[in-house]
Amino acid sequence: MNGNREQALEAIYARVRACSRCSLHVGRTHAVPGAGPANATIMFIGEAPGFHEDQQGLPFVGAAGKLLNELLEKAGIERNTVYISNVIKCRPPGNREPAPEEVEACAPYLDQQIDIIKPKVIVTLGRYSMARAFPDEKISVVHGKPRKVGEYIYFPMYHPAAALHQPSLRSIVETDFIRLRELLDGTLVPEEIASPPAIEQLSLF
Ligand code: URA
């Protein structure tokens, strides 16, 4: 069963590496499809690969990744047990923010990764990742507060890179990782949010 899921992830990786759905494929060294075990209970979703990720084809291997490793360790979570992906899989030039058409073009890959892994907890790192689940929210309001929507618990956090650029965010991010630990231990209970109605239900026909 798990072998099938690994194979399904590998099939996505092959499609991502060959992808030309948006213009970012032109400048990439490597696409960065995602990494981690198919049976992970926690999935981290960042924004986009940076320089080092583009060089290596792996997520969170640069400065933000180093901080992510430290935060995981403090929370008692082993990096090799979590799945790590990004909203977009190719590096935007100069690390600019992802464009809406790039996010849209890449969305099916991330949706499929979530469907295969079915993590218990989805940790969104940064605004772009949060916006997939909560497009109308502000990260300054919702960070560190787990919410159960349908079958998943979403846990919005600031992006680790934001804590590198803005030292005042560092202790906030550290506290949110401790809250993630509490969620995993069952001492922090997620707020239940009603699932949005299925698209079909919105249809007039
Ligand atoms: N920042 C991200 O959002 N993703 C990475 O993979 C690396 C840095």
Side-chain angles (χ1 to χ4, degrees), residues 46-50 53 58-60 64 86 159:
E47 183 175 309
E53 290 77 19
L58 292 169
F60 282 94
N86 279 305
H159 196 289

Side-chain angles (χ1 to χ4, degrees), residues 44-50 53 59-68 71 84-88 95 97-98 123-130 139-140 143-144 155-174 176-177:
F44 286 84
I45 304 176
E47 183 175 309
E53 290 77 19
F60 282 94
V61 290
K66 192 161 170 274
L67 178 54
L68 179 63
L71 292 162
I84 305 182
S85 194
N86 279 305
V87 172
I88 61 171
N95 294 346
E97 297 188 346
V123 181
T124 63
L125 299 172
R127 281 183 298 129
Y128 285 86
S129 179
M130 176 199 71
I139 197 154
S140 56
H143 74 89
F155 197 105
M157 291 207 194
Y158 282 102
H159 196 289
L164 291 174
H165 297 134
Q166 246 176 289
S168 60
L169 284 181
R170 174 80 185 229
S171 65
I172 294 175
V173 174
E174 284 178 358
D176 286 352
F177 267 79

Side-chain angles (χ1 to χ4, degrees), residues 41-45 67-79 81-84 119-125 142-147 152-158 160 171-190:
T41 52
I42 313 175
M43 180 166 178
F44 286 84
I45 304 176
L67 178 54
L68 179 63
N69 290 349
E70 284 171 29
L71 292 162
L72 285 169
E73 198 179 331
K74 279 197 185 140
I77 300 168
E78 288 191 34
R79 175 160 171 159
T81 65
V82 304
Y83 193 85
I84 305 182
K120 284 202 166 53
V121 182
I122 296 177
V123 181
T124 63
L125 299 172
V142 300
H143 74 89
K145 296 179 186 149
R147 296 163 153 196
Y152 299 116
I153 297 170
Y154 287 88
F155 197 105
M157 291 207 194
Y158 282 102
S171 65
I172 294 175
V173 174
E174 284 178 358
T175 303
D176 286 352
F177 267 79
I178 299 309
R179 287 173 66 79
L180 175 61
R181 177 75 263 164
E182 291 168 359
L183 175 73
L184 300 174
D185 291 343
T187 53
L188 177 64
V189 176

